[in-house]
Amino acid sequence: MDTQVLIVGAGPVGLTLAVDLGQRGIRCTLIEQKPAPARLPKMERCNARSMEIYRRLGLADRIRAAGLPADVPMDVFIVTSLVDPPLLHLPYPSVTEAKKEIAARNDGSLPLEPYQLISQYTLEPLLKSVVDADPNVTVRYGCEFLSFEQDGNGVTAQVQTGGRTQTISAQYLVGCDGGSSAVRKQLGIGLAGEGNLLQLRQALFRCDDLFERIPIGKGRHYHVADAHSTQLILQDDARHFTLHSIVETDADMATMFETVVAMPVAYEMLSVNEWRQNLLIADRFQDDRVFLAGDAVHLMIPTGGLGMNSGVGDAVDLGWKLAATLQGWGGADLLASYETERRPVGQNNVAASRYATLGRRKWRSQYKPNLRDATPEGAATRANLVAIADVEQRKSNEMTGAELGYFYVSPLISSEPGETPPYDFIQYTPSTMPGARLPHVWLADGRAMQDRIGKGYTLLRLGGTHADAATLTRAFARIGAPFAVLDVPDAAARELYGRDLILLRPDMHIVWRGNAMPDDPERLAATATGHAI
């Protein structure tokens, strides 16, 4: 084989997968049709869960250094322009403020890492520099994927570079090639849901002094109450802005920018693109040795910021499972669980995006041309829109449940009797239910629990328990899977987690919990590693 894993598409999802695989010692080749990372204004926020993931990859500090400065607030405004008093101002903490809140609380309700505003055109080159430095990863830009064939031994892909067709052989192929995925199309996998709900234009502007001059206050989103669904979004250097609006021509975007800014500024319009709102989920995420991740399998409206972040979750779920299989200790159920676990998350996040979008549409539907009139009728229109927006706009900006509260139900999880709790987009309730992400907790020595957990399976022995883990250790050793026992006597962790023993898998999701060692450790180890018994 030329490589163990061939990744098609070097967006944030493909790059994150390559980083994870490379760190696990897996040889992978990443191909991208573009000649270099493009300066296109797409995603602009890594959410809390993605930042926890990047922390485990050793990248959180680098991402923060490249992104929006930590002291800039993440406030959201609903406005008529940047100079008129805002109709609604929703304050959200800066990274500095969020970190202070996280440091002061230890009840598991907050993530270890807060969000980070970073533009995709900044994040992609940063991730590319990481994989460029990894000898396990080969990166080929200007390399177009054409087609593939697969059999029981591997995948053979045809690619084209500079007009020359080549063959790349791999054991597995992963399509991270976006909403129009050529890999998905060759597999004949359909998308279900709601497509082409709304068409807008998006323009990228450079305006060096605008952010410092905005008289109504600094923030990340400025939603304009108008008939065009206009929204101005701050980019990570505070010198670039994206504008979304429904207008007739590209040139109209410059006019709209001037209307929203409403004060003399020097600016340059760098690009204009059309985009469509979609709420779609792929019928399948896998076909034998070929997998799909990111926008290739779920397309969401950016409300709630779940699109790219869902793809990062796909990447880390798939990464350790591919590594385990290639290293010989992953069972037959391991890779099959990727779709079982991630497709429901994709469905939930599409639904969360719909929920947030409907909220935004609800307050926008209250717009009337008399909104700015200094009349009793105009005042009534403003008051009505603000009252609704104060409820509905929050749905886009307060989705902690969707970010942190998802859990897996799969053959890899030792599920407990009883009903699983309902999925809550908004509210996150910390839980150690098998399948959930391990809640963040600070330990007595000042370290975070997450920072003490390695890249393999980990048995947490909490609260000073002396349970003998020898049989479970031997069970994992017979399979060949990496396994460690971590003693955590801290009372705060035991109280929060509610059990003496918790078994974690490499992505920090919980496999099993109990107050005594399992009766059948061989079965538990086999379950966790995908070996059916």
Side-chain angles (χ1 to χ4, degrees), residues 175 178-179 181 184-185 187-193 279-286 291-300 314 338-339 342-344 346-347 350:
S181 169
R184 186 191 70 236
K185 289 177 179 177
L187 290 170
I189 295 175
L191 296 170
L279 292 167
L280 300 168
I281 185 85
D283 298 333
R284 292 181 291 124
F285 281 31
Q286 175 188 3
F291 299 83
L292 299 166
D295 285 357
V297 281
H298 40 67
L299 288 166
M300 305 168 200
D314 295 341
Y338 168 66
E339 179 176 317
R342 290 306 298 176
R343 191 170 187 276
Q347 288 177 306
V350 168

Side-chain angles (χ1 to χ4, degrees), residues 82-83 209-211 213-215 258-266:
L82 296 188
V83 300
D209 62 346
L210 174 59
F211 191 59
R213 293 177 55 195
I214 297 175
E258 294 173 5
T259 300
V260 172
V261 172
M263 56 183 173
V265 291

Side-chain angles (χ1 to χ4, degrees), residues 146-170:
L146 299 176
S147 64
F148 73 88
E149 295 179 355
Q150 63 171 322
D151 57 29
N153 297 315
V155 182
T156 302
Q158 300 293 314
V159 303
Q160 188 174 79
T161 305
R164 186 166 59 95
T165 300
Q166 297 174 292
T167 297
I168 300 177
S169 59

Side-chain angles (χ1 to χ4, degrees), residues 6-18 29-34 124 140-141 143 145 174-178 183:
L6 174 62
I7 304 169
V8 180
V13 176
L15 285 160
T16 299
L17 177 59
T29 298
L30 179 65
I31 64 171
E32 169 57 53
Q33 183 175 354
K34 299 191 303 285
E124 280 188 17
R140 294 177 58 181
Y141 278 75
C143 181
F145 167 81
V174 185
C176 303
D177 50 342
V183 177

Side-chain angles (χ1 to χ4, degrees), residues 14-323:
L15 285 160
T16 299
L17 177 59
V19 171
D20 189 50
L21 288 172
Q23 290 188 3
R24 295 182 186 279
I26 301 302
R27 292 183 299 107
C28 57
T29 298
L30 179 65
I31 64 171
E32 169 57 53
Q33 183 175 354
K34 299 191 303 285
R39 191 171 179 81
L40 292 175
K42 295 183 179 179
M43 59 73 57
E44 41 82 32
R45 185 179 72 105
C46 290
N47 69 22
R49 180 59 179 139
S50 292
M51 289 306 296
E52 286 185 344
I53 289 167
Y54 285 130
R55 180 177 179 130
R56 284 180 63 76
L57 293 173
L59 300 177
D61 289 343
R62 290 180 62 178
I63 288 172
R64 294 204 186 280
L68 187 73
D71 60 346
V72 177
M74 298 285 279
D75 295 6
V76 173
F77 295 83
I78 295 178
V79 302
T80 53
S81 77
L82 296 188
V83 300
D84 297 320
L87 301 174
L88 180 65
H89 176 194
L90 299 176
Y92 294 101
S94 67
V95 168
T96 297
E97 293 168 336
K99 283 189 171 185
K100 289 179 181 177
E101 185 179 2
I102 289 168
R105 192 183 301 183
N106 207 27
D107 59 4
S109 64
L110 296 178
L112 172 57
E113 291 279 350
Y115 43 56
Q116 175 62 49
L117 195 154
I118 182 168
S119 304
Q120 181 165 335
Y121 56 67
T122 305
L123 181 61
E124 280 188 17
L126 188 157
L127 295 175
K128 181 179 181 296
S129 71
V130 175
V131 296
D132 281 341
D134 189 330
N136 291 316
V137 183
T138 300
V139 184
R140 294 177 58 181
Y141 278 75
C143 181
E144 180 184 3
F145 167 81
L146 299 176
S147 64
F148 73 88
E149 295 179 355
Q150 63 171 322
D151 57 29
N153 297 315
V155 182
T156 302
Q158 300 293 314
V159 303
Q160 188 174 79
T161 305
R164 186 166 59 95
T165 300
Q166 297 174 292
T167 297
I168 300 177
S169 59
Q171 289 174 271
Y172 296 96
L173 184 150
V174 185
C176 303
D177 50 342
S180 59
S181 169
V183 177
R184 186 191 70 236
K185 289 177 179 177
Q186 182 174 335
L187 290 170
I189 295 175
L191 296 170
E194 304 166 84
N196 198 18
L197 294 169
L198 190 68
Q199 182 169 312
L200 301 95
R201 278 181 169 81
Q202 175 182 254
L204 176 64
F205 294 86
R206 175 163 184 168
C207 189
D208 287 359
D209 62 346
L210 174 59
F211 191 59
E212 294 300 324
R213 293 177 55 195
I214 297 175
I216 63 172
K218 292 181 171 61
R220 61 182 284 245
H221 287 175
Y222 298 86
H223 299 273
V224 183
D226 65 4
H228 303 276
S229 296
T230 305
Q231 179 184 6
L232 187 69
I233 299 174
L234 176 71
Q235 298 300 304
D236 55 15
D237 61 3
R239 295 193 303 272
H240 290 82
F241 298 80
T242 53
L243 183 74
H244 298 257
S245 194
I246 302 172
V247 296
E248 292 294 325
T249 69
D250 289 356
D252 290 337
M253 291 298 285
T255 302
M256 184 62 77
F257 182 75
E258 294 173 5
T259 300
V260 172
V261 172
M263 56 183 173
V265 291
Y267 71 87
E268 182 182 4
M269 187 165 72
L270 301 175
S271 68
V272 183
N273 299 283
E274 288 186 297
W275 68 281
R276 293 176 174 84
Q277 293 186 348
N278 297 294
L279 292 167
L280 300 168
I281 185 85
D283 298 333
R284 292 181 291 124
F285 281 31
Q286 175 188 3
D287 186 297
D288 197 12
R289 289 178 172 269
V290 181
F291 299 83
L292 299 166
D295 285 357
V297 281
H298 40 67
L299 288 166
M300 305 168 200
I301 298 171
T303 45
L306 296 172
M308 186 281 296
N309 292 292
S310 299
V312 170
D314 295 341
V316 296
D317 185 87
L318 184 56
W320 73 269
K321 293 173 180 176
L322 282 168

Side-chain angles (χ1 to χ4, degrees), residues 471 512 516-524:
T471 55
W512 168 88
M517 292 301 297
D519 295 333
D520 191 344
E522 297 282 349
R523 177 177 291 276
L524 179 57

